[in-house]
PDB file of all heavy atoms in Angstrom:
ATOM      1  N   PRO A 120     -17.285  77.434 -41.231  1.00  0.00           N
ATOM      2  CA  PRO A 120     -16.880  77.417 -39.820  1.00  0.00           C
ATOM      3  C   PRO A 120     -17.291  78.722 -39.136  1.00  0.00           C
ATOM      4  O   PRO A 120     -17.239  79.802 -39.730  1.00  0.00           O
ATOM      5  CB  PRO A 120     -15.371  77.290 -39.871  1.00  0.00           C
ATOM      6  CG  PRO A 120     -15.074  76.774 -41.250  1.00  0.00           C
ATOM      7  CD  PRO A 120     -16.147  77.262 -42.139  1.00  0.00           C
ATOM      8  N   HIS A 121     -17.743  78.617 -37.869  1.00  0.00           N
ATOM      9  CA  HIS A 121     -18.119  79.787 -37.132  1.00  0.00           C
ATOM     10  C   HIS A 121     -17.636  79.721 -35.695  1.00  0.00           C
ATOM     11  O   HIS A 121     -17.362  78.598 -35.203  1.00  0.00           O
ATOM     12  CB  HIS A 121     -19.631  80.047 -37.185  1.00  0.00           C
ATOM     13  CG  HIS A 121     -20.401  79.067 -36.332  1.00  0.00           C
ATOM     14  ND1 HIS A 121     -20.897  77.883 -36.822  1.00  0.00           N
ATOM     15  CD2 HIS A 121     -20.764  79.106 -35.020  1.00  0.00           C
ATOM     16  CE1 HIS A 121     -21.534  77.213 -35.902  1.00  0.00           C
ATOM     17  NE2 HIS A 121     -21.474  77.958 -34.761  1.00  0.00           N
ATOM     18  N   GLU A 122     -17.615  80.845 -35.036  1.00  0.00           N
ATOM     19  CA  GLU A 122     -17.272  80.882 -33.616  1.00  0.00           C
ATOM     20  C   GLU A 122     -18.121  81.950 -32.955  1.00  0.00           C
ATOM     21  O   GLU A 122     -18.238  83.076 -33.442  1.00  0.00           O
ATOM     22  CB  GLU A 122     -15.769  81.203 -33.411  1.00  0.00           C
ATOM     23  CG  GLU A 122     -15.363  81.020 -31.965  1.00  0.00           C
ATOM     24  CD  GLU A 122     -13.883  80.669 -31.810  1.00  0.00           C
ATOM     25  OE1 GLU A 122     -13.274  80.250 -32.797  1.00  0.00           O
ATOM     26  OE2 GLU A 122     -13.395  80.858 -30.688  1.00  0.00           O
ATOM     27  N   CYS A 123     -18.695  81.596 -31.816  1.00  0.00           N
ATOM     28  CA  CYS A 123     -19.509  82.535 -31.043  1.00  0.00           C
ATOM     29  C   CYS A 123     -18.581  83.204 -30.027  1.00  0.00           C
ATOM     30  O   CYS A 123     -17.766  82.531 -29.373  1.00  0.00           O
ATOM     31  CB  CYS A 123     -20.649  81.804 -30.315  1.00  0.00           C
ATOM     32  SG  CYS A 123     -21.869  81.093 -31.434  1.00  0.00           S
ATOM     33  N   ILE A 124     -18.770  84.503 -29.870  1.00  0.00           N
ATOM     34  CA  ILE A 124     -17.895  85.278 -28.983  1.00  0.00           C
ATOM     35  C   ILE A 124     -18.738  86.157 -28.078  1.00  0.00           C
ATOM     36  O   ILE A 124     -19.436  87.048 -28.567  1.00  0.00           O
ATOM     37  CB  ILE A 124     -16.918  86.133 -29.793  1.00  0.00           C
ATOM     38  CG1 ILE A 124     -16.078  85.258 -30.736  1.00  0.00           C
ATOM     39  CG2 ILE A 124     -16.013  86.973 -28.871  1.00  0.00           C
ATOM     40  CD1 ILE A 124     -15.340  86.018 -31.825  1.00  0.00           C
ATOM     41  N   ILE A 125     -18.704  85.902 -26.769  1.00  0.00           N
ATOM     42  CA  ILE A 125     -19.413  86.720 -25.832  1.00  0.00           C
ATOM     43  C   ILE A 125     -18.847  88.148 -25.875  1.00  0.00           C
ATOM     44  O   ILE A 125     -17.610  88.346 -25.830  1.00  0.00           O
ATOM     45  CB  ILE A 125     -19.274  86.156 -24.380  1.00  0.00           C
ATOM     46  CG1 ILE A 125     -19.788  84.718 -24.326  1.00  0.00           C
ATOM     47  CG2 ILE A 125     -20.045  87.046 -23.397  1.00  0.00           C
ATOM     48  CD1 ILE A 125     -21.205  84.539 -24.590  1.00  0.00           C
ATOM     49  N   LYS A 126     -19.769  89.124 -25.963  1.00  0.00           N
ATOM     50  CA  LYS A 126     -19.356  90.541 -26.105  1.00  0.00           C
ATOM     51  C   LYS A 126     -18.414  90.756 -27.264  1.00  0.00           C
ATOM     52  O   LYS A 126     -17.501  91.592 -27.244  1.00  0.00           O
ATOM     53  CB  LYS A 126     -18.748  91.048 -24.805  1.00  0.00           C
ATOM     54  CG  LYS A 126     -19.725  91.020 -23.627  1.00  0.00           C
ATOM     55  CD  LYS A 126     -19.118  91.633 -22.361  1.00  0.00           C
ATOM     56  CE  LYS A 126     -20.124  91.621 -21.207  1.00  0.00           C
ATOM     57  NZ  LYS A 126     -19.586  92.140 -19.956  1.00  0.00           N
ATOM     58  N   GLY A 127     -18.638  90.021 -28.328  1.00  0.00           N
ATOM     59  CA  GLY A 127     -17.815  90.110 -29.517  1.00  0.00           C
ATOM     60  C   GLY A 127     -17.895  91.471 -30.175  1.00  0.00           C
ATOM     61  O   GLY A 127     -16.968  91.882 -30.892  1.00  0.00           O
TER      62      GLY A 127
END
Side-chain angles (χ1 to χ4, degrees):
H121 73 269
E122 188 153 343
C123 295
I124 302 166
I125 304 296
K126 297 185 179 177

